[in-house]
Amino acid sequence: MANEVEIRAPAEQTEGTRSQIQRWLKSVGDTVSENEPLIELETDKVTVEVASPGSGTLREILKQEQEEIEPGELLGRIEVAGAAKATGGALANEHGAGEGRGDRTAATKSGATAANGAVDSSGAVGANGAVATNSERSIEAPVGVSVAPGPAAQSVSPAVRRLLAERGLDASQVRGTGMGGRVTVEDVLAHGSNKAAPGAAASSTGAAPSRATAASTAPTVPAGTSAAPASPATPSADPAAGPSRRVPHTATRKRIAEHMVQSLLHTAPHVTTVFEANLTAVLEDRQRKKDDFARRGAPLTLTAYFLQATVAAIREVPEVNSRWTDSALEIYDSMHIGVGTALETGLVVPVLRDVQTLDLFATAKCLNDLVSRARAGGLTPADVRGGTFTISNHGVSGSLVATPIIINQPQSAILGIGKLEKRTVVSTDEQGDDRIVIRPQCYVTLTIDHRVMDGHQANRFLQTFVAWLAQPPAG
Protein backbone atom coordinates (compact mmCIF):
# COMPACT_ATOMS: atom_id res chain seq x y z
CA MET A 1 0.00 0.00 0.00
CA ALA A 2 1.14 3.53 -0.82
CA ASN A 3 0.65 4.73 2.77
CA GLU A 4 2.55 1.85 4.36
CA VAL A 5 6.24 1.14 4.81
CA GLU A 6 7.39 -2.47 4.93
CA ILE A 7 9.72 -3.68 7.67
CA ARG A 8 12.08 -6.30 6.26
CA ALA A 9 14.91 -8.36 7.72
CA PRO A 10 18.30 -6.99 6.67
CA ALA A 11 19.65 -9.05 3.80
CA GLU A 12 23.36 -8.25 3.96
CA GLN A 13 23.86 -8.56 7.73
CA THR A 14 21.99 -11.86 8.05
CA GLU A 15 22.95 -13.57 4.80
CA GLY A 16 24.42 -17.00 5.42
CA THR A 17 23.26 -17.09 9.04
CA ARG A 18 20.25 -18.42 10.90
CA SER A 19 18.23 -15.60 12.43
CA GLN A 20 15.26 -15.24 14.72
CA ILE A 21 13.43 -12.29 16.23
CA GLN A 22 14.66 -11.83 19.76
CA ARG A 23 12.49 -8.87 20.73
CA TRP A 24 10.14 -6.29 19.27
CA LEU A 25 10.97 -2.95 20.88
CA LYS A 26 7.54 -1.52 19.98
CA SER A 27 3.99 -2.85 20.17
CA VAL A 28 1.27 -2.62 17.53
CA GLY A 29 -0.26 0.85 17.73
CA ASP A 30 2.92 2.51 19.02
CA THR A 31 4.34 5.55 17.28
CA VAL A 32 7.75 4.99 15.72
CA SER A 33 10.31 7.34 14.21
CA GLU A 34 12.53 6.68 11.23
CA ASN A 35 15.87 5.06 12.18
CA GLU A 36 14.60 4.38 15.71
CA PRO A 37 15.59 0.87 16.94
CA LEU A 38 12.56 -1.33 16.28
CA ILE A 39 13.60 -5.01 16.43
CA GLU A 40 16.42 -7.03 17.93
CA LEU A 41 17.42 -9.93 15.69
CA GLU A 42 19.57 -12.73 17.03
CA THR A 43 21.67 -14.48 14.42
CA ASP A 44 23.75 -17.57 15.10
CA LYS A 45 26.68 -15.24 15.70
CA VAL A 46 25.60 -11.81 16.99
CA THR A 47 22.58 -9.70 17.90
CA VAL A 48 21.57 -7.11 15.28
CA GLU A 49 19.25 -4.13 15.70
CA VAL A 50 16.79 -3.34 12.90
CA ALA A 51 15.94 0.34 12.64
CA SER A 52 12.52 1.62 11.66
CA PRO A 53 12.43 2.33 7.91
CA GLY A 54 9.93 5.16 8.36
CA SER A 55 7.94 7.32 10.77
CA GLY A 56 4.35 6.59 11.71
CA THR A 57 2.42 3.92 13.58
CA LEU A 58 3.42 0.27 13.87
CA ARG A 59 0.32 -1.23 12.28
CA GLU A 60 1.19 -4.91 11.79
CA ILE A 61 3.61 -7.50 13.14
CA LEU A 62 3.94 -10.53 10.87
CA LYS A 63 6.77 -12.42 12.60
CA GLN A 64 6.68 -12.97 16.33
CA GLU A 65 9.44 -13.21 18.91
CA GLN A 66 11.50 -16.42 18.74
CA GLU A 67 10.33 -17.12 15.18
CA GLU A 68 13.08 -17.86 12.65
CA ILE A 69 13.30 -15.53 9.67
CA GLU A 70 15.02 -15.36 6.29
CA PRO A 71 17.13 -12.47 4.91
CA GLY A 72 14.86 -9.88 3.33
CA GLU A 73 11.69 -11.44 4.80
CA LEU A 74 8.72 -9.16 5.55
CA LEU A 75 8.44 -8.69 9.33
CA GLY A 76 5.75 -6.05 9.66
CA ARG A 77 4.31 -2.80 8.37
CA ILE A 78 4.30 0.81 9.45
CA GLU A 79 1.47 3.19 8.57
CA VAL A 80 3.20 6.43 7.71
CA ALA A 81 2.41 9.53 9.74
CA GLY A 82 -0.72 11.35 8.56
CA ALA A 83 -1.92 8.46 6.40
CA ALA A 84 -4.70 7.26 8.74
CA LYS A 85 -7.75 9.50 8.30
CA ALA A 86 -10.60 7.07 8.78
CA THR A 87 -12.74 7.38 11.91
CA GLY A 88 -13.55 4.52 14.23
CA GLY A 89 -17.12 4.28 12.92
CA ALA A 90 -16.01 4.16 9.30
CA LEU A 91 -13.59 1.39 10.08
CA ALA A 92 -16.20 -0.59 11.96
CA ASN A 93 -18.44 -0.69 8.88
CA GLU A 94 -15.70 -2.57 7.05
CA HIS A 95 -15.42 -5.43 9.52
CA GLY A 96 -17.39 -7.87 7.37
CA ALA A 97 -15.39 -7.32 4.18
CA GLY A 98 -13.43 -10.53 4.62
CA GLU A 99 -12.27 -13.14 7.05
CA GLY A 100 -9.10 -15.16 7.66
CA ARG A 101 -5.90 -14.98 5.73
CA GLY A 102 -7.67 -14.16 2.47
CA ASP A 103 -8.44 -10.63 3.68
CA ARG A 104 -5.77 -9.58 6.18
CA THR A 105 -6.64 -5.89 5.94
CA ALA A 106 -10.31 -6.36 6.76
CA ALA A 107 -9.51 -8.60 9.69
CA THR A 108 -7.05 -6.06 11.00
CA LYS A 109 -9.56 -3.23 10.80
CA SER A 110 -12.22 -5.35 12.43
CA GLY A 111 -9.99 -6.18 15.42
CA ALA A 112 -8.66 -2.65 15.66
CA THR A 113 -12.16 -1.22 16.06
CA ALA A 114 -13.54 -3.86 18.42
CA ALA A 115 -13.61 -1.22 21.18
CA ASN A 116 -15.01 1.82 19.34
CA GLY A 117 -12.14 1.85 16.86
CA ALA A 118 -9.41 2.45 19.46
CA VAL A 119 -6.24 0.37 19.19
CA ASP A 120 -4.60 -0.32 22.55
CA SER A 121 -0.86 0.38 22.50
CA SER A 122 -0.18 -3.08 23.85
CA GLY A 123 -2.13 -4.86 21.10
CA ALA A 124 -0.58 -7.81 19.31
CA VAL A 125 -0.98 -9.18 15.81
CA GLY A 126 -2.06 -12.75 15.35
CA ALA A 127 -1.06 -15.25 12.73
CA ASN A 128 -3.86 -14.14 10.42
CA GLY A 129 -2.88 -10.48 10.72
CA ALA A 130 -5.78 -9.40 12.97
CA VAL A 131 -5.03 -6.89 15.69
CA ALA A 132 -6.13 -7.98 19.16
CA THR A 133 -6.24 -5.42 21.95
CA ASN A 134 -6.29 -5.50 25.71
CA SER A 135 -9.64 -3.73 25.59
CA GLU A 136 -11.20 -6.88 24.14
CA ARG A 137 -10.63 -8.63 27.42
CA SER A 138 -12.37 -5.96 29.51
CA ILE A 139 -14.97 -4.34 27.23
CA GLU A 140 -17.71 -6.21 25.43
CA ALA A 141 -17.67 -5.55 21.70
CA PRO A 142 -20.62 -3.69 20.15
CA VAL A 143 -23.32 -5.93 18.69
CA GLY A 144 -22.64 -6.77 15.06
CA VAL A 145 -18.90 -6.18 15.26
CA SER A 146 -16.78 -9.32 15.04
CA VAL A 147 -13.94 -9.48 17.58
CA ALA A 148 -10.60 -11.06 16.68
CA PRO A 149 -9.47 -13.89 18.94
CA GLY A 150 -7.26 -12.89 21.87
CA PRO A 151 -3.50 -12.86 21.25
CA ALA A 152 -2.98 -15.89 23.46
CA ALA A 153 -5.03 -17.98 21.06
CA GLN A 154 -3.74 -16.38 17.87
CA SER A 155 0.03 -16.29 18.02
CA VAL A 156 2.55 -18.13 20.14
CA SER A 157 6.21 -18.83 19.58
CA PRO A 158 7.37 -22.26 18.40
CA ALA A 159 8.78 -22.99 21.87
CA VAL A 160 5.47 -22.14 23.54
CA ARG A 161 3.57 -24.16 20.93
CA ARG A 162 5.67 -27.23 21.68
CA LEU A 163 5.26 -26.81 25.42
CA LEU A 164 1.49 -26.42 25.08
CA ALA A 165 1.33 -29.59 22.99
CA GLU A 166 3.38 -31.52 25.51
CA ARG A 167 1.04 -30.48 28.30
CA GLY A 168 -2.15 -31.02 26.34
CA LEU A 169 -3.11 -27.35 26.64
CA ASP A 170 -4.55 -24.74 24.31
CA ALA A 171 -3.20 -21.19 24.30
CA SER A 172 -6.67 -19.85 25.17
CA GLN A 173 -6.51 -21.70 28.49
CA VAL A 174 -3.40 -19.85 29.63
CA ARG A 175 -3.31 -16.25 30.84
CA GLY A 176 -0.65 -14.45 28.79
CA THR A 177 1.67 -11.87 30.35
CA GLY A 178 3.80 -11.13 27.29
CA MET A 179 3.52 -8.24 24.87
CA GLY A 180 -0.13 -7.67 24.02
CA GLY A 181 -1.17 -10.59 26.20
CA ARG A 182 0.93 -13.15 24.36
CA VAL A 183 1.53 -16.44 26.11
CA THR A 184 5.17 -17.02 27.09
CA VAL A 185 7.01 -20.14 28.22
CA GLU A 186 6.87 -18.88 31.79
CA ASP A 187 3.08 -18.48 31.53
CA VAL A 188 2.65 -22.11 30.47
CA LEU A 189 4.93 -23.33 33.24
CA ALA A 190 3.13 -21.21 35.83
CA HIS A 191 -0.23 -22.51 34.58
CA GLY A 192 0.98 -26.07 34.88
CA SER A 193 2.23 -25.57 38.45
CA ASN A 194 -1.31 -24.75 39.55
CA LYS A 195 -2.84 -27.81 37.91
CA ALA A 196 -2.70 -31.53 38.55
CA ALA A 197 0.06 -33.41 36.72
CA PRO A 198 -1.03 -34.48 33.21
CA GLY A 199 -0.32 -38.11 34.05
CA ALA A 200 -2.56 -38.00 37.12
CA ALA A 201 -5.36 -36.34 35.18
CA ALA A 202 -5.13 -38.94 32.45
CA SER A 203 -5.30 -41.82 34.90
CA SER A 204 -8.24 -40.35 36.80
CA THR A 205 -10.29 -39.90 33.65
CA GLY A 206 -9.08 -43.01 31.91
CA ALA A 207 -7.75 -40.93 29.00
CA ALA A 208 -4.57 -41.99 27.26
CA PRO A 209 -1.65 -39.54 27.01
CA SER A 210 -1.69 -37.42 23.88
CA ARG A 211 0.56 -38.32 20.98
CA ALA A 212 2.47 -35.05 21.38
CA THR A 213 3.18 -35.82 25.05
CA ALA A 214 4.28 -39.36 24.31
CA ALA A 215 6.58 -38.20 21.54
CA SER A 216 8.20 -35.51 23.67
CA THR A 217 9.12 -37.92 26.43
CA ALA A 218 10.64 -40.61 24.24
CA PRO A 219 14.32 -41.23 25.02
CA THR A 220 16.83 -39.41 22.84
CA VAL A 221 18.73 -41.69 20.46
CA PRO A 222 22.27 -40.67 19.49
CA ALA A 223 22.85 -40.07 15.79
CA GLY A 224 23.77 -43.16 13.87
CA THR A 225 22.29 -45.62 16.39
CA SER A 226 19.10 -47.62 16.35
CA ALA A 227 16.37 -46.98 18.84
CA ALA A 228 15.45 -49.89 21.07
CA PRO A 229 11.72 -50.70 21.28
CA ALA A 230 10.15 -48.58 23.99
CA SER A 231 8.58 -50.39 26.90
CA PRO A 232 4.87 -49.61 27.30
CA ALA A 233 5.39 -49.42 31.06
CA THR A 234 8.11 -46.77 30.79
CA PRO A 235 6.94 -43.63 32.63
CA SER A 236 6.90 -40.32 30.80
CA ALA A 237 9.40 -38.90 33.29
CA ASP A 238 11.31 -40.09 36.32
CA PRO A 239 9.36 -38.81 39.34
CA ALA A 240 12.58 -38.71 41.35
CA ALA A 241 13.91 -36.03 38.99
CA GLY A 242 11.54 -33.49 40.54
CA PRO A 243 10.23 -30.27 39.00
CA SER A 244 11.87 -28.86 35.90
CA ARG A 245 11.62 -25.86 33.63
CA ARG A 246 12.14 -25.39 29.90
CA VAL A 247 14.43 -22.75 28.45
CA PRO A 248 13.84 -22.19 24.70
CA HIS A 249 16.96 -22.49 22.56
CA THR A 250 18.31 -19.26 21.12
CA ALA A 251 19.46 -19.07 17.52
CA THR A 252 23.04 -18.91 18.81
CA ARG A 253 22.71 -22.03 20.95
CA LYS A 254 21.01 -24.02 18.17
CA ARG A 255 23.69 -23.04 15.68
CA ILE A 256 26.48 -23.93 18.13
CA ALA A 257 24.91 -27.34 18.73
CA GLU A 258 24.56 -28.10 15.03
CA HIS A 259 28.05 -26.84 14.26
CA MET A 260 29.69 -28.91 17.02
CA VAL A 261 27.95 -32.13 15.97
CA GLN A 262 28.74 -31.50 12.31
CA SER A 263 32.41 -30.75 12.98
CA LEU A 264 33.12 -33.61 15.39
CA LEU A 265 30.92 -36.42 14.08
CA HIS A 266 30.48 -35.74 10.39
CA THR A 267 33.43 -33.72 9.10
CA ALA A 268 36.85 -33.84 10.78
CA PRO A 269 38.65 -36.64 12.64
CA HIS A 270 39.87 -34.79 15.74
CA VAL A 271 43.28 -35.45 17.32
CA THR A 272 44.69 -33.46 20.26
CA THR A 273 48.26 -32.98 21.41
CA VAL A 274 49.17 -31.45 24.81
CA PHE A 275 52.21 -29.39 25.85
CA GLU A 276 53.08 -27.35 28.94
CA ALA A 277 54.11 -23.70 28.68
CA ASN A 278 56.35 -21.71 31.03
CA LEU A 279 54.97 -18.17 31.33
CA THR A 280 57.68 -16.69 33.59
CA ALA A 281 59.13 -14.49 30.85
CA VAL A 282 55.71 -13.44 29.55
CA LEU A 283 54.57 -12.30 33.00
CA GLU A 284 57.79 -10.35 33.52
CA ASP A 285 57.43 -8.68 30.10
CA ARG A 286 53.79 -7.84 30.78
CA GLN A 287 54.71 -6.28 34.13
CA ARG A 288 57.16 -3.96 32.37
CA LYS A 289 54.77 -2.90 29.59
CA LYS A 290 51.22 -2.96 30.96
CA ASP A 291 51.14 0.57 32.42
CA ASP A 292 52.49 2.14 29.23
CA PHE A 293 50.06 0.14 27.09
CA ALA A 294 47.13 1.11 29.32
CA ARG A 295 47.97 4.82 29.04
CA ARG A 296 47.94 4.42 25.26
CA GLY A 297 44.53 2.71 25.30
CA ALA A 298 45.54 -0.94 25.00
CA PRO A 299 45.12 -3.07 28.15
CA LEU A 300 47.77 -5.78 27.90
CA THR A 301 46.40 -9.27 28.52
CA LEU A 302 48.03 -12.68 28.23
CA THR A 303 45.85 -13.39 25.21
CA ALA A 304 47.78 -10.77 23.24
CA TYR A 305 50.94 -12.79 23.86
CA PHE A 306 49.16 -16.01 22.86
CA LEU A 307 48.15 -14.38 19.58
CA GLN A 308 51.71 -13.30 18.82
CA ALA A 309 53.04 -16.76 19.70
CA THR A 310 50.40 -18.26 17.39
CA VAL A 311 51.67 -16.16 14.49
CA ALA A 312 55.19 -17.56 15.03
CA ALA A 313 53.85 -21.12 15.21
CA ILE A 314 51.73 -20.77 12.05
CA ARG A 315 54.76 -19.50 10.16
CA GLU A 316 56.51 -22.71 11.22
CA VAL A 317 53.53 -24.93 10.31
CA PRO A 318 51.40 -23.14 7.66
CA GLU A 319 49.08 -26.14 7.29
CA VAL A 320 47.46 -25.17 10.59
CA ASN A 321 46.11 -22.04 8.88
CA SER A 322 44.22 -23.85 6.14
CA ARG A 323 40.99 -25.37 4.85
CA TRP A 324 40.49 -28.92 3.61
CA THR A 325 38.82 -29.44 0.23
CA ASP A 326 38.31 -32.67 -1.67
CA SER A 327 40.88 -31.74 -4.28
CA ALA A 328 43.49 -29.72 -2.39
CA LEU A 329 44.54 -28.12 0.90
CA GLU A 330 43.85 -24.40 0.76
CA ILE A 331 46.49 -22.62 2.87
CA TYR A 332 45.71 -19.01 3.70
CA ASP A 333 48.27 -16.22 3.35
CA SER A 334 46.61 -14.04 5.99
CA MET A 335 46.16 -15.03 9.61
CA HIS A 336 42.65 -14.09 10.72
CA ILE A 337 42.54 -15.47 14.26
CA GLY A 338 39.31 -15.86 16.19
CA VAL A 339 39.29 -15.60 19.98
CA GLY A 340 36.52 -17.46 21.79
CA THR A 341 34.64 -15.12 24.12
CA ALA A 342 32.07 -16.46 26.58
CA LEU A 343 28.87 -14.41 26.93
CA GLU A 344 25.71 -15.06 28.91
CA THR A 345 23.95 -15.97 25.67
CA GLY A 346 26.66 -18.39 24.54
CA LEU A 347 30.06 -18.42 22.89
CA VAL A 348 31.01 -15.87 20.26
CA VAL A 349 34.29 -15.80 18.32
CA PRO A 350 35.31 -12.31 17.16
CA VAL A 351 38.10 -12.37 14.59
CA LEU A 352 41.32 -10.32 14.62
CA ARG A 353 42.27 -9.84 11.01
CA ASP A 354 45.81 -9.96 9.59
CA VAL A 355 47.39 -10.62 12.96
CA GLN A 356 50.69 -11.38 11.18
CA THR A 357 50.98 -7.63 10.45
CA LEU A 358 50.46 -6.51 14.07
CA ASP A 359 53.00 -5.96 16.84
CA LEU A 360 52.17 -6.65 20.49
CA PHE A 361 50.69 -3.20 21.13
CA ALA A 362 48.46 -3.25 18.04
CA THR A 363 47.36 -6.78 18.91
CA ALA A 364 46.40 -5.74 22.44
CA LYS A 365 44.51 -2.72 21.15
CA CYS A 366 42.54 -4.62 18.51
CA LEU A 367 41.81 -7.45 20.95
CA ASN A 368 40.47 -5.06 23.58
CA ASP A 369 38.20 -3.39 21.03
CA LEU A 370 36.72 -6.67 19.81
CA VAL A 371 36.22 -8.27 23.22
CA SER A 372 34.71 -5.08 24.67
CA ARG A 373 32.20 -4.84 21.84
CA ALA A 374 31.42 -8.54 22.13
CA ARG A 375 30.53 -8.21 25.81
CA ALA A 376 28.51 -5.07 25.14
CA GLY A 377 26.58 -6.76 22.32
CA GLY A 378 28.11 -4.42 19.77
CA LEU A 379 29.65 -6.85 17.30
CA THR A 380 28.62 -6.78 13.65
CA PRO A 381 28.35 -9.93 11.50
CA ALA A 382 31.58 -8.90 9.77
CA ASP A 383 33.42 -9.10 13.12
CA VAL A 384 32.82 -12.85 13.40
CA ARG A 385 33.41 -13.91 9.80
CA GLY A 386 36.44 -15.03 7.86
CA GLY A 387 38.50 -16.63 10.63
CA THR A 388 41.28 -19.00 9.55
CA PHE A 389 42.32 -20.23 13.02
CA THR A 390 40.82 -20.06 16.52
CA ILE A 391 42.08 -19.76 20.11
CA SER A 392 39.98 -21.02 23.02
CA ASN A 393 41.27 -19.50 26.26
CA HIS A 394 39.18 -21.87 28.40
CA GLY A 395 41.57 -21.53 31.36
CA VAL A 396 40.03 -18.21 32.36
CA SER A 397 37.16 -20.17 33.91
CA GLY A 398 39.45 -22.61 35.74
CA SER A 399 39.88 -25.44 33.25
CA LEU A 400 43.32 -27.08 33.17
CA VAL A 401 42.85 -29.12 30.00
CA ALA A 402 39.93 -29.38 27.58
CA THR A 403 39.89 -32.07 24.91
CA PRO A 404 38.83 -32.25 22.27
CA ILE A 405 38.09 -28.60 21.70
CA ILE A 406 35.89 -28.88 18.64
CA ILE A 407 37.31 -27.33 15.50
CA ASN A 408 35.51 -24.30 14.10
CA GLN A 409 34.71 -25.47 10.57
CA PRO A 410 35.97 -25.01 7.90
CA GLN A 411 39.22 -24.37 9.79
CA SER A 412 41.78 -27.12 10.34
CA ALA A 413 42.85 -26.66 13.97
CA ILE A 414 42.07 -24.93 17.25
CA LEU A 415 44.40 -23.92 20.08
CA GLY A 416 43.40 -24.36 23.72
CA ILE A 417 44.93 -22.46 26.64
CA GLY A 418 44.48 -23.90 30.13
CA LYS A 419 44.50 -22.24 33.55
CA LEU A 420 47.67 -20.43 34.61
CA GLU A 421 48.92 -21.73 37.97
CA LYS A 422 52.16 -22.08 39.89
CA ARG A 423 53.63 -25.57 39.70
CA THR A 424 56.73 -27.29 40.98
CA VAL A 425 58.97 -28.40 38.14
CA VAL A 426 62.43 -29.89 37.84
CA SER A 427 64.89 -27.46 36.29
CA THR A 428 68.33 -28.39 34.99
CA ASP A 429 71.00 -25.67 35.08
CA GLU A 430 73.92 -25.20 32.69
CA GLN A 431 76.12 -27.48 34.77
CA GLY A 432 73.57 -30.29 34.47
CA ASP A 433 72.41 -30.08 38.06
CA ASP A 434 68.72 -30.58 38.78
CA ARG A 435 66.70 -28.51 41.20
CA ILE A 436 63.04 -28.09 42.04
CA VAL A 437 61.61 -24.64 41.24
CA ILE A 438 58.16 -23.02 41.23
CA ARG A 439 57.03 -21.58 37.91
CA PRO A 440 53.83 -20.13 36.43
CA GLN A 441 52.75 -22.84 33.99
CA CYS A 442 49.77 -23.72 31.84
CA TYR A 443 48.78 -26.59 29.60
CA VAL A 444 48.28 -25.80 25.92
CA THR A 445 46.57 -28.07 23.42
CA LEU A 446 46.28 -28.17 19.67
CA THR A 447 43.34 -30.10 18.24
CA ILE A 448 43.81 -30.81 14.55
CA ASP A 449 41.83 -32.16 11.64
CA HIS A 450 43.76 -35.39 11.02
CA ARG A 451 42.90 -35.20 7.32
CA VAL A 452 44.97 -32.04 7.07
CA MET A 453 48.07 -32.87 9.10
CA ASP A 454 49.69 -35.47 11.30
CA GLY A 455 50.82 -35.54 14.91
CA HIS A 456 54.41 -34.47 14.21
CA GLN A 457 53.16 -31.23 12.61
CA ALA A 458 50.90 -30.53 15.59
CA ASN A 459 53.83 -31.15 17.92
CA ARG A 460 56.09 -28.81 15.93
CA PHE A 461 53.43 -26.11 16.11
CA LEU A 462 53.24 -26.36 19.91
CA GLN A 463 57.03 -26.57 20.26
CA THR A 464 57.31 -23.26 18.44
CA PHE A 465 54.41 -21.81 20.43
CA VAL A 466 55.81 -22.63 23.89
CA ALA A 467 59.35 -21.62 22.85
CA TRP A 468 58.08 -18.15 21.88
CA LEU A 469 56.31 -17.82 25.23
CA ALA A 470 59.45 -18.91 27.11
CA GLN A 471 61.45 -16.14 25.39
CA PRO A 472 59.17 -13.46 23.92
CA PRO A 473 60.98 -11.03 21.62
CA ALA A 474 62.25 -7.85 23.25
CA GLY A 475 60.76 -4.51 22.29
Side-chain angles (χ1 to χ4, degrees):
M1 296 178 61
N3 294 329
E4 289 184 343
V5 176
E6 293 182 339
I7 308 165
R8 291 190 175 272
E12 293 182 1
Q13 288 184 311
T14 57
E15 186 175 1
T17 66
R18 171 174 293 172
S19 305
Q20 70 182 29
I21 293 180
Q22 186 178 58
R23 187 159 64 106
W24 279 90
L25 304 178
K26 294 286 187 178
S27 302
V28 169
D30 285 355
T31 300
V32 296
S33 300
E34 187 172 2
N35 296 323
E36 177 184 10
L38 184 59
I39 310 171
E40 287 181 357
L41 296 185
E42 184 185 49
T43 74
D44 52 30
K45 300 177 184 293
V46 296
T47 299
V48 177
E49 275 192 351
V50 177
S52 173
S55 298
T57 302
L58 179 57
R59 187 56 62 204
E60 194 172 20
I61 292 177
L62 300 177
K63 301 294 285 188
Q64 304 298 327
E65 294 174 3
Q66 298 183 6
E67 284 194 66
E68 292 194 0
I69 61 172
E70 299 294 333
E73 186 172 358
L74 182 62
L75 307 181
R77 293 184 176 90
I78 294 172
E79 185 175 330
V80 297
K85 300 296 183 181
T87 64
L91 289 175
N93 288 335
E94 300 179 16
H95 80 275
E99 295 180 358
R101 300 179 64 91
D103 195 339
R104 184 188 307 274
T105 304
T108 302
K109 293 175 180 177
S110 168
T113 59
N116 297 327
V119 178
D120 189 283
S121 63
S122 62
V125 176
N128 66 353
V131 179
T133 69
N134 282 343
S135 58
E136 293 168 4
R137 295 190 291 274
S138 58
I139 301 176
E140 185 176 348
V143 177
V145 178
S146 57
V147 180
Q154 287 190 56
S155 177
V156 294
S157 70
V160 173
R161 193 177 301 118
R162 286 193 299 269
L163 189 55
L164 288 168
E166 290 172 7
R167 299 192 171 211
L169 295 172
D170 185 85
S172 61
Q173 298 173 271
V174 181
R175 179 179 178 274
T177 61
M179 183 183 71
R182 286 186 64 218
V183 176
T184 66
V185 169
E186 290 74 16
D187 296 332
V188 180
L189 295 175
H191 180 86
S193 66
N194 297 324
K195 304 292 182 182
S203 62
S204 65
T205 61
S210 70
R211 179 175 300 180
T213 303
S216 68
T217 56
T220 301
V221 180
T225 64
S226 299
S231 170
T234 302
S236 60
D238 185 352
S244 65
R245 61 189 178 92
R246 292 175 61 89
V247 179
H249 297 312
T250 63
T252 300
R253 176 48 53 191
K254 286 190 285 188
R255 179 57 176 159
I256 289 173
E258 293 172 359
H259 190 74
M260 296 300 99
V261 171
Q262 182 66 30
S263 178
L264 183 62
L265 301 183
H266 304 300
T267 302
H270 285 49
V271 174
T272 301
T273 186
V274 184
F275 275 54
E276 193 170 16
N278 174 11
L279 297 185
T280 302
V282 165
L283 293 177
E284 291 173 351
D285 190 73
R286 178 176 179 270
Q287 186 64 31
R288 289 192 298 269
K289 295 176 178 176
K290 65 177 185 178
D291 290 341
D292 175 58
F293 277 36
R295 281 193 297 269
R296 295 160 62 192
L300 182 56
T301 65
L302 294 181
T303 304
Y305 288 93
F306 298 148
L307 283 160
Q308 288 289 295
T310 298
V311 169
I314 290 176
R315 284 175 174 152
E316 179 68 22
V317 187
E319 294 86 354
V320 168
N321 195 52
S322 69
R323 180 177 73 93
W324 173 271
T325 72
D326 290 339
S327 59
L329 186 64
E330 184 178 352
I331 300 177
Y332 297 105
D333 296 330
S334 296
M335 302 179 195
H336 304 321
I337 303 177
V339 178
T341 304
L343 308 176
E344 290 184 3
T345 55
L347 183 70
V348 66
V349 186
V351 176
L352 275 77
R353 306 191 68 81
D354 296 304
V355 185
Q356 79 280 0
T357 66
L358 306 178
D359 60 12
L360 184 63
F361 175 80
T363 300
K365 191 174 182 65
C366 292
L367 179 65
N368 178 65
D369 171 66
L370 277 177
V371 172
S372 297
R373 287 194 288 118
R375 290 174 177 159
L379 291 177
T380 67
D383 292 324
V384 293
R385 291 177 179 163
T388 60
F389 184 79
T390 298
I391 297 176
S392 172
N393 195 359
H394 57 85
V396 297
S397 55
S399 171
L400 295 177
V401 178
T403 181
I405 304 176
I406 300 176
I407 297 169
N408 188 11
Q409 295 296 326
Q411 298 169 20
S412 295
I414 185 167
L415 178 69
I417 311 292
K419 177 184 177 182
L420 171 64
E421 60 180 10
K422 293 181 179 180
R423 298 182 190 140
T424 56
V425 296
V426 176
S427 175
T428 303
D429 60 23
E430 295 178 355
Q431 287 72 39
D433 296 327
D434 294 338
R435 59 194 180 98
I436 296 176
V437 297
I438 298 176
R439 287 178 179 165
Q441 306 270 122
C442 71
Y443 294 112
V444 295
T445 62
L446 184 71
T447 298
I448 61 170
D449 181 344
H450 213 335
R451 300 174 303 170
V452 173
M453 67 196 95
D454 299 318
H456 70 90
Q457 292 161 297
N459 290 341
R460 192 163 79 250
F461 176 96
L462 285 184
Q463 286 169 351
T464 305
F465 182 81
V466 299
W468 190 100
L469 294 176
Q471 291 183 316

